[in-house]
Amino acid sequence: MPELPEVETTRRGIEPHVVGHRIRALRVHEPRLRWRVEASLPARVAGQKILAAGRRAKYLLLALERGTLLLHLGMSGSLRVLPAGTPRGKHDHVDLVLDTGTLLRFNDPRRFGSLLFVEGDPQTHPLLAGLAPEPLSADFDAGYLWRVTRRRRVAVKQLIMNARLVVGVGNIYASEALFRARIRPGREARRLTARDAAALARAIRTVLANAIRAGGTTLRDFVGADGAPGYFRQKLFVYERAGQPCRRCRTPIRRRVQGQRATYWCPQCQQ
DNA sequence: ATGGGCACCTGGCTGC
DNA sequence: TGCAGCCAGGTGCCCA
């Protein structure tokens, strides 16, 4: 499911329900996530107040009084705010019970998601330390993208999905951003001109921001904290549109596999 | 340093 | 109806 817009949608959805509240209990029903959830985790977080609900790349960060809960939704995860006592369903792996009784429930069919508790500055944690700047911050601009694309032979699509270089862009938004920037996904990153880099940096920001405004993209199972799907799917130009006419020029959209992931582009609009 | 491929999982869909 | 095969929104890790 989740790329940056879906994670940000989730963050905004849970924020008003969790910040300022104390954790009554953390109930782990299935610890076998991407990494096994430590058995000591519930005892370590119980009783702590949630100070903030943040995000870094595709990670959600719940700042507590003595540490940070780090949550990743993986490919199929979702986090919902539910009334006390809501019965559990399939793949409901973790419940965070607030002092109000409200539940923050983590569901993840594929279990690629993760949940960790880190003490100290979370930004120095190995999972976060090497991440590229936030694409919606001032640090991410034409100059930055220009610099990191120099001498790289990887296809530009794979480059913008590499979190050490660009963060928050997954398989959907990579194709969409490249369409917006009119750049072919298979082009070597180092072959971008300064003008291309500027167009791509701008396209990434615009696509992500627009998707956040629409509440994310729901292809199959993404839901926000309130259980509602995202509506950006209607605004996709190329993703999962192979064979259908380009929304700009009517040329059939093409599909190929790059780095084991499906890529979509318009052979007419993108060079 | 860079890049490619695999692994981790479940479920939905297609075609025989 | 059953089953095999393929596909799916992520990313850490191992190897060349």
Side-chain angles (χ1 to χ4, degrees), chain A residues 37-217:
Chain A
V37 178
E38 291 175 63
S40 64
L41 201 122
R44 294 171 78 193
V45 305
Q48 293 201 55
K49 189 186 279 186
I50 300 172
L51 306 177
R55 179 188 57 74
R56 175 74 177 100
K58 299 174 191 169
Y59 287 92
L60 281 167
L61 280 69
L62 292 184
L64 310 185
E65 294 164 297
R66 295 183 302 281
T68 305
L69 272 172
L70 231 164
L71 182 83
H72 198 293
L73 300 176
M75 201 92 142
S76 58
S78 62
L79 200 55
R80 293 189 60 183
V81 174
L82 295 165
T86 306
R88 280 176 54 227
K90 209 172 183 187
H91 307 305
D92 286 339
H93 304 316
V94 178
D95 276 349
L96 195 132
V97 189
L98 301 176
D99 50 13
T100 53
T102 295
L103 305 173
L104 194 60
R105 177 165 285 169
F106 178 63
N107 177 286
D108 185 8
R110 294 177 73 178
R111 289 193 275 117
F112 288 170
S114 50
L115 177 65
L116 294 88
F117 182 63
V118 308
E119 281 161 337
D121 181 4
Q123 306 299 338
T124 64
H125 188 276
L127 290 172
L128 304 187
L131 295 174
E134 282 294 313
L136 299 177
S137 76
D139 297 340
F140 181 83
D141 59 12
Y144 172 80
L145 197 57
W146 167 254
R147 287 194 301 280
V148 302
T149 50
R150 296 310 87 195
R151 335 190 148 65
R152 295 209 175 238
R153 295 164 189 266
V154 265
V156 59
K157 192 229 181 188
Q158 283 159 277
L159 182 139
I160 63 175
M161 290 178 67
N162 178 347
R164 309 189 74 83
L165 303 175
V166 178
V167 123
V169 177
N171 206 37
I172 299 177
Y173 301 117
S175 284
E176 293 298 314
L178 287 161
F179 175 81
R180 263 197 100 87
R182 297 186 164 232
I183 296 165
R184 287 213 185 181
R187 178 128 53 108
E188 280 188 14
R190 61 177 183 167
R191 299 291 178 212
L192 294 195
T193 63
R195 183 183 288 265
D196 290 329
L200 184 53
R202 170 172 287 277
I204 288 169
R205 301 173 64 112
T206 305
V207 165
L208 295 179
N210 289 350
I212 291 170
R213 206 174 314 145
T217 300

Side-chain angles (χ1 to χ4, degrees), chain A residues 218-238:
Chain A
T218 297
L219 292 177
R220 293 162 191 87
D221 47 22
F222 171 72
V223 289
D226 57 358
Y231 297 102
F232 196 70
R233 185 173 195 179
Q234 301 155 237
K235 308 214 170 143
L236 298 178
F237 279 83
V238 291

Side-chain angles (χ1 to χ4, degrees), chain A residues 233-237 241 245-250 253:
Chain A
R233 185 173 195 179
Q234 301 155 237
K235 308 214 170 143
L236 298 178
F237 279 83
R241 295 195 65 244
C246 172
R247 293 170 65 178
R248 186 191 273 146
C249 77
R250 317 316 298 171
I253 298 302

